[in-house]
Amino acid sequence: MGSEAPSSPQVVEEGADEELSGAEDADLRASSGRGSLLTRRGITLRVLLKDGLVEPGDGILSIHYLGKKFVGDLLNDGKIRWVETGQIFNSPSAWATHCKRLVNPAKKSGCGWASVRYRGQKLVQYKTTWLHKYQPSADMSLVSEGEDDEMGDDEEEQGKTTIPVEDKNKKSKPELHVISCLFVFSPDRERIPVRYCTLGTRDAARDPHTLVELSAFSAINRFQPFSVAVSSNVLLLMDFHCHLTTSEVVGYLGGQWDTNTQLLTVLRAFPCRTQLADRHTAPAVEEEICQNLFMRGLSLVGWYHSHPRGPALPTLQDIDSQMDHQLRLQGSSNGFQPCLGIICGPYYQGNQGVASTITPFWVVPPPEQRPNDYGIPVAVEVTYVQDTFLTTDVLNEMMLLVEFYRCAPDLVQFSQKWSPNTSILDKIKASLSGHAPKDQAYAQILEHVYNQLRNTQ
């Protein structure tokens, strides 16, 4: 296509409604086509497609920002489809701004052509190629103007290490923001938590199971951006699940998000009844949970997992996972939606008394000037709401969990001693009593569940 004329300004205008300002639009309307000089914003993806500099395709666009990777499809009409959610964006700038605000809500702009890569190469370089080919007399500043002020956001440009992320080229249903059940087993040894300020730049050689102390929002000059209320039935089912096995467990949190009051209400726990790293059953288990969320009119609002014998503090791996989950939940809408992470530590000897330590947390992205740092784990203040009764759903789920772990090799030995005067089963009952309704009838129902635990061994 070396001798072909560039696309007409009229065609450019049709595919670039987010790229053209009013003045530039008027300039393009007034220009005559072959001999006109397009402005920087006039060179759109549709122009590059029509003139053969790029081709449409699945998963060929990407953004790397503060350690996170976003993948997009380039459509025939020059628009971008985000692989994660199926959302359509009219321009690289629109897509980049949206993605960057998910990681950093304070972000003002996306500088899309400098941030979005086509097959690994920045789109802004294709603008330069287009001008060299079709308008060699054009001022090259028309290409770079305003596009290079965020070069530091692109970590690969500097040759820095980025966070490993899963391949997201595989299409998924936009409404299912599935939290993976696949976690690496934590080593059963004493681990001393470190302060976040001692971590410094991300280091691939650092142990991913390193525990990190939580910061307060006030310590990083922030306010908690949302309120949280958690049902006592959620705590009871989650605590029960975490007590059953010596291995880590994981589950979902279902609830509601009120954009007007900025209140996140957690109403239901959905334990994943699957062994960790079981890639065969995990997708079916998660699909069933997503269906249950939909049938109950609930949204996915978070996740929980256990540290059976360790402190209920996030590891470096947990921090990265939480950041990924926050992005997935926010990816389905244009507005902010929080994702709550909860860690439950049932058998840590450092706990106060017999009750499990339950830690709600969130992750604040690292500063833009330090994109290769870890996210900052912060403690989330939560209001716990006491339910007046145990729902049938909760009781049924408890029995299903007992049945699932009945023959598991990592089932807890409930008859063993937790302390000289307390068996592990008694420890479980005491821990759960803090969440159970204060009614003798429900105490009898729970006693039936505990009898089933006795019968597993």
Side-chain angles (χ1 to χ4, degrees):
M1 295 185 63
S3 61
E4 291 185 23
S7 311
S8 69
Q10 182 63 38
V11 174
V12 173
E13 178 191 7
E14 292 175 359
D17 50 347
E18 286 197 21
E19 291 287 276
L20 298 174
S21 67
E24 290 169 335
D25 183 39
D27 289 343
L28 288 174
R29 285 179 181 273
S31 62
S32 59
R34 282 180 184 270
S36 64
L37 288 178
L38 293 182
T39 64
R40 174 179 59 85
R41 292 184 182 273
I43 306 171
T44 65
L45 278 175
R46 187 163 180 172
V47 170
L48 299 182
L49 282 166
K50 189 171 182 63
D51 291 329
L53 272 72
V54 297
E55 297 178 349
D58 293 344
I60 59 176
L61 300 178
S62 63
I63 297 173
H64 296 263
Y65 180 64
L66 293 181
K68 299 301 170 184
K69 181 181 179 181
F70 304 86
V71 177
D73 303 331
L74 179 56
L75 305 181
N76 292 324
D77 59 0
K79 295 183 179 181
I80 297 170
R81 179 173 57 215
W82 184 13
V83 168
E84 183 70 28
T85 66
Q87 288 172 275
I88 303 295
F89 295 88
N90 289 331
S91 67
S93 295
W95 183 44
T97 299
H98 180 81
C99 292
K100 290 183 179 183
R101 283 178 178 170
L102 295 179
V103 181
N104 176 19
K107 194 66 183 165
K108 301 299 182 183
S109 64
C111 286
W113 287 79
S115 300
V116 177
R117 290 174 176 264
Y118 170 80
R119 300 189 186 279
Q121 187 174 4
K122 290 185 178 182
L123 281 177
V124 69
Q125 295 172 313
Y126 289 89
K127 278 191 176 184
T128 303
T129 300
W130 189 95
L131 282 173
H132 278 306
K133 185 174 182 179
Y134 293 112
Q135 296 182 354
S137 61
D139 183 354
M140 289 299 109
S141 65
L142 294 178
V143 179
S144 60
E145 176 190 357
E147 297 288 5
D148 58 356
D149 57 346
E150 291 195 32
M151 291 300 182
D153 290 346
D154 191 333
E155 297 165 10
E156 289 190 351
E157 180 69 12
Q158 306 299 326
K160 299 177 182 177
T161 303
T162 59
I163 301 175
V165 294
E166 63 184 6
D167 182 8
K168 297 192 176 150
N169 290 345
K170 183 179 179 180
K171 294 292 189 301
S172 60
K173 297 179 182 178
E175 68 273 17
L176 297 180
H177 302 282
V178 180
I179 294 177
S180 174
C181 287
L182 308 179
F183 286 82
V184 178
F185 288 101
S186 297
D188 188 14
R189 59 180 173 79
E190 182 67 20
R191 289 175 287 163
I192 306 301
V194 301
R195 298 180 64 185
Y196 175 81
C197 61
T198 67
L199 292 176
T201 303
R202 182 178 296 274
D203 182 358
R206 185 177 282 118
D207 183 359
H209 300 111
T210 300
L211 291 167
V212 183
E213 295 179 358
L214 294 179
S215 301
F217 276 98
S218 58
I220 57 175
N221 298 318
R222 301 271 190 109
F223 292 100
Q224 184 171 311
F226 51 88
S227 302
V228 181
V230 179
S231 157
S232 62
N233 280 344
V234 170
L235 298 176
L236 186 144
L237 182 54
M238 179 178 63
D239 199 9
F240 182 75
H241 185 201
C242 295
H243 268 103
L244 297 182
T245 169
T246 58
S247 301
E248 288 191 14
V249 301
V250 67
Y252 291 84
L253 299 173
Q256 297 170 343
W257 167 242
D258 190 323
T259 57
N260 295 322
T261 62
Q262 297 290 287
L263 173 63
L264 186 73
T265 306
V266 185
L267 299 170
R268 180 74 158 81
F270 293 90
C272 287
R273 295 190 301 275
T274 182
Q275 294 293 327
L276 295 182
D278 186 347
R279 296 180 180 274
H280 299 290
T281 62
V285 169
E286 293 186 332
E287 178 67 20
E288 179 184 357
I289 291 174
C290 288
Q291 292 295 333
N292 287 335
L293 282 164
F294 176 77
M295 291 173 59
R296 290 168 173 77
L298 300 177
S299 299
L300 180 61
V301 297
W303 66 299
Y304 71 87
H305 74 287
S306 67
H307 289 177
R309 295 192 178 94
L313 292 172
T315 63
L316 295 177
Q317 177 178 281
D318 295 336
I319 292 170
D320 285 346
S321 295
Q322 172 64 19
M323 195 71 226
D324 286 341
H325 300 337
Q326 290 174 192
L327 290 174
R328 286 176 179 173
L329 253 62
Q330 292 177 154
S332 62
S333 63
N334 292 323
F336 170 77
Q337 177 182 334
C339 169
L340 183 68
I342 296 181
I343 303 173
C344 180
Y347 293 116
Y348 178 50
Q349 292 291 340
N351 290 345
Q352 297 295 319
V354 294
S356 302
T357 300
I358 295 176
T359 304
F361 77 106
W362 200 58
V363 173
V364 174
E368 284 195 40
Q369 63 273 24
R370 297 182 62 86
N372 289 305
D373 283 6
Y374 292 94
I376 308 169
V378 289
V380 173
E381 294 185 6
V382 172
T383 299
Y384 295 107
V385 180
Q386 181 64 54
D387 290 307
T388 57
F389 61 92
L390 290 175
T391 64
T392 303
D393 278 352
V394 171
L395 291 171
N396 287 342
E397 190 64 54
M398 293 175 77
M399 297 306 297
L400 289 171
L401 285 169
V402 172
E403 191 61 32
F404 178 78
Y405 288 105
R406 183 182 297 276
C407 299
D410 50 0
L411 178 70
V412 168
Q413 301 300 305
F414 304 109
S415 61
Q416 291 183 353
K417 292 294 185 180
W418 165 250
S419 66
N421 301 316
T422 306
S423 69
I424 288 181
L425 182 57
D426 289 336
K427 179 253 189 281
I428 295 174
K429 294 165 66 173
S431 183
L432 267 59
S433 67
H435 318 307
K438 310 306 179 185
D439 187 295
Q440 188 62 32
Y442 299 114
Q444 294 174 356
I445 294 174
L446 285 176
E447 194 61 39
H448 172 70
V449 177
Y450 301 143
N451 285 332
Q452 295 299 311
L453 286 182
R454 291 189 186 96
N455 294 334
T456 61
Q457 298 169 344

